[in-house]
Amino acid sequence: MFDLAIKGGWVVDPVRQEIKKQNIYVKDGRIAALGESDANALETRDASGLYVLPGGIDTHCHFRNPGATEKEDFAHGTRAAAVGGITTVLDMPNTNPAVLDGIDVRKKIAYFHDKAYVDYGIWGLSLGDLNLDKLLSMKEAGAAAIKFFWGYAIDTKTHALVYNYTKGKEDVIPPLDDGEVYAIFRQIAANRQILAIHAENSALIRRLTEELDTSKTADDDYAAFLSTRPSLAEELTVATAISMARDTGAHLHILHMTSRRGVELVRRAKADGVSVTAETAPHYLFLSAEDFPAVGPMMKVYPLIKSKDDQAALWAGLLDGTLDFIASDHAPHRIEEKRGSLFKMPSGMCGVETMMPLMLDAVSRGKITLPFVARVLSQRPAEIYGIERKGKLEIGFDADLVLVDMQKTRPIRNKDLHSKQPLTAFDGRSITGWPVSTYLRGRLIAADHEIVGDPGGQPAHCRAAV
Ligand code: NCD
Ligand code: ZN
């Protein structure tokens, strides 16, 4: 006898890129059978008229826990995920304390245990020579991959990342030089890990920022701001990173890509056989610099959102597989912090809850298909990070399922978000196509935009084959 039957829904298959009317049967949290035949289960859900997608996987979440829990915490963040159709998240390591060795990874996995509403994995952080000999221990402890904030300085005492480095700043380790970065790549290759980079050239940004005459620049001049953090900043770092990956054989993953130039470099590197993957984020696909007058400073995020032409190149790159998947870069800040000068406020916004709805709306507008959504939100991230039994609706896989109503129209609203600081650049945007039920390993965890039940998330096993 099955535990759960989801009957009569349109099942979305990312692998074959097709949609078929099928029943799904769940036993012990896994998909036990799929097909047209009618069998009984302890519980039956009628999914007629709805689409069934594999649970979304968001590999780029800054849940801020421990540390800046006034901005977000793991319970709020994973509740937002569940409601937004995301059943697995990977938590970014720039917390306080940060995740710098195997002990930190184990601690964080245990610490999140009773707080997680969805399944989760943990990122490790590279600080160059400071923890070069600890990278392998993070893999052994179960970290999904290693993140490197290229061009950021490091606080000498706390080892926290320093976001706006100026020359001569005291008590900081300046951004690493290319020799030290090369040593990270070499170690990552030897350990057979994934190195994911935040790709912005800080020396260029510093120079252009110093040159900007702020006495003549309005606090909300997005074009001036963008001129200090142009596509060239991404291009320079991506080009260097690709060269280092080619030379060392390390697997390079480029986080939140924003520019045509970046996409073109990755396309060429893939054609040349370099071991490189890349992601972009919803705000780069659904916003451009032209939206700033309407949206305002809420859309400040690093790297900056660029031009309409860059946006078009990102879509083309995602559609042809140059960009492997999308991830939200969920990075909330306090409402009060997101006011005042564009130049000074922190960068980032909520994203985990709105990523799938935005993609479903793109399906409604005929831009993409549902199987494509399942590929870039579930299948590809699971394959790249080796997340076991996730990302597809196949027998033996976890019954992480999202029921989607493609007829449902309602706006994204800050006040409906489940994050601790519910702020998005998409407030007020009308969306057609919403997740209406989320199942985690066969258990209903969210329905009609609200959470159902207690935290039941577990550590996901990430074993990337690189
Ligand atoms: C992120 C944050 O706030 O942690 N901010 C952002 O603008 N993306 C850091 C980061 O990923 O760069
Ligand atoms: Zn980043």
Side-chain angles (χ1 to χ4, degrees), residues 48 127 196 224 275 286 367 387 409 427 456:
S48 323
L127 294 180
S275 186
F286 296 100
K367 197 166 177 86
I387 310 176
T409 300
D427 183 45

Side-chain angles (χ1 to χ4, degrees), residues 60 62 92 147 149 152 197-199 255-256 302-303 329:
H60 196 146
H62 298 271
M92 279 295 174
K147 177 160 180 179
F149 285 80
Y152 285 63
I197 61 161
H198 179 119
L255 301 161
H256 41 47
Y302 287 163
D329 193 11

Side-chain angles (χ1 to χ4, degrees), residues 60-62 64 71 92 94 147 149 152 161 163 198 200 255-256 283-284 300-304 328-333 338 346-349:
H60 196 146
C61 294
H62 298 271
R64 313 281 191 215
K71 296 175 192 251
M92 279 295 174
N94 57 326
K147 177 160 180 179
F149 285 80
Y152 285 63
L161 293 167
Y163 285 73
H198 179 119
E200 285 189 293
L255 301 161
H256 41 47
H283 35 270
Y284 305 113
K300 175 179 172 182
V301 56
Y302 287 163
L304 289 182
S328 76
D329 193 11
H330 181 82
H333 295 283
K338 288 298 258 184
S347 60
M349 67 181 101

Side-chain angles (χ1 to χ4, degrees), residues 153-228:
I154 300 162
D155 188 292
T156 324
K157 291 195 191 92
T158 63
H159 292 169
L161 293 167
V162 178
Y163 285 73
N164 295 304
Y165 172 72
T166 44
K167 255 202 185 124
K169 209 171 189 172
E170 282 176 25
D171 297 324
V172 298
I173 301 165
L176 314 188
D177 64 30
D178 283 356
E180 193 169 343
V181 177
Y182 181 74
I184 303 174
F185 274 80
R186 209 175 40 198
Q187 192 63 53
I188 287 283
N191 297 351
R192 305 182 74 85
Q193 289 176 284
I194 294 176
L195 183 67
I197 61 161
H198 179 119
E200 285 189 293
N201 183 293
S202 63
L204 178 76
I205 291 171
R206 214 156 43 239
R207 175 77 192 204
L208 297 176
T209 305
E210 282 161 12
E211 284 176 4
L212 187 75
D213 185 352
T214 42
S215 69
K216 294 199 189 107
T217 313
D219 268 359
D220 60 351
D221 188 339
Y222 193 83
F225 194 26
L226 192 50
S227 75
T228 67

Side-chain angles (χ1 to χ4, degrees), residues 373-435:
V373 172
R375 173 177 288 173
V376 297
L377 276 188
S378 304
Q379 184 199 344
R380 291 298 289 143
E383 284 172 355
I384 287 166
Y385 294 105
I387 310 176
E388 281 180 0
R389 298 188 312 276
K390 307 277 191 198
K392 296 182 220 177
L393 299 180
E394 289 182 3
I395 291 171
F397 275 60
D398 285 348
D400 297 347
L401 314 165
V402 189
L403 271 49
V404 160
D405 182 353
M406 291 305 291
Q407 307 297 317
K408 184 169 198 165
T409 300
R410 75 179 229 150
I412 291 173
R413 283 195 200 284
N414 284 340
K415 68 178 176 61
D416 295 334
L417 299 181
H418 292 75
S419 282
K420 206 156 186 184
Q421 298 286 336
L423 281 180
T424 155
F426 298 104
D427 183 45
R429 182 180 289 230
S430 178
I431 296 285
T432 298
W434 282 90

Side-chain angles (χ1 to χ4, degrees), residues 2-169:
F2 298 112
D3 299 328
L4 171 70
I6 299 198
K7 292 191 176 175
W10 294 99
V11 176
V12 177
D13 181 346
V15 181
R16 289 160 207 86
Q17 288 286 295
E18 61 184 27
I19 301 177
K20 255 203 242 167
K21 197 168 197 167
Q22 282 186 320
N23 300 331
I24 300 181
Y25 297 97
V26 178
K27 177 92 185 151
D28 299 329
R30 304 219 188 147
I31 297 172
L34 272 158
E36 280 153 43
S37 69
D38 199 33
N40 287 327
L42 296 175
E43 190 194 332
T44 298
R45 167 75 188 259
D46 177 12
S48 323
L50 301 177
Y51 291 86
V52 188
L53 275 76
I57 297 175
D58 189 349
T59 59
H60 196 146
C61 294
H62 298 271
F63 288 136
R64 313 281 191 215
N65 206 169
T69 47
E70 71 285 358
K71 296 175 192 251
E72 184 66 300
D73 63 26
F74 201 70
H76 281 83
T78 54
R79 277 202 285 268
V83 171
I86 305 296
T87 49
T88 305
V89 294
L90 301 186
D91 184 60
M92 279 295 174
N94 57 326
T95 45
N96 190 9
V99 182
L100 299 178
D101 61 24
I103 297 166
D104 294 342
V105 171
R106 287 203 175 85
K107 261 199 235 160
K108 212 168 182 187
I109 290 174
Y111 175 70
F112 284 163
H113 179 70
D114 57 351
K115 301 170 181 70
Y117 284 81
V118 299
D119 287 354
Y120 60 97
I122 301 294
W123 279 89
L125 185 67
S126 166
L127 294 180
D129 288 346
L130 271 174
N131 69 337
L132 195 61
D133 60 349
K134 298 291 193 300
L135 299 180
L136 185 60
S137 72
M138 293 199 262
K139 176 180 172 176
E140 287 165 352
I146 301 296
K147 177 160 180 179
F148 174 52
F149 285 80
W150 201 309
Y152 285 63
I154 300 162
D155 188 292
T156 324
K157 291 195 191 92
T158 63
H159 292 169
L161 293 167
V162 178
Y163 285 73
N164 295 304
Y165 172 72
T166 44
K167 255 202 185 124
K169 209 171 189 172

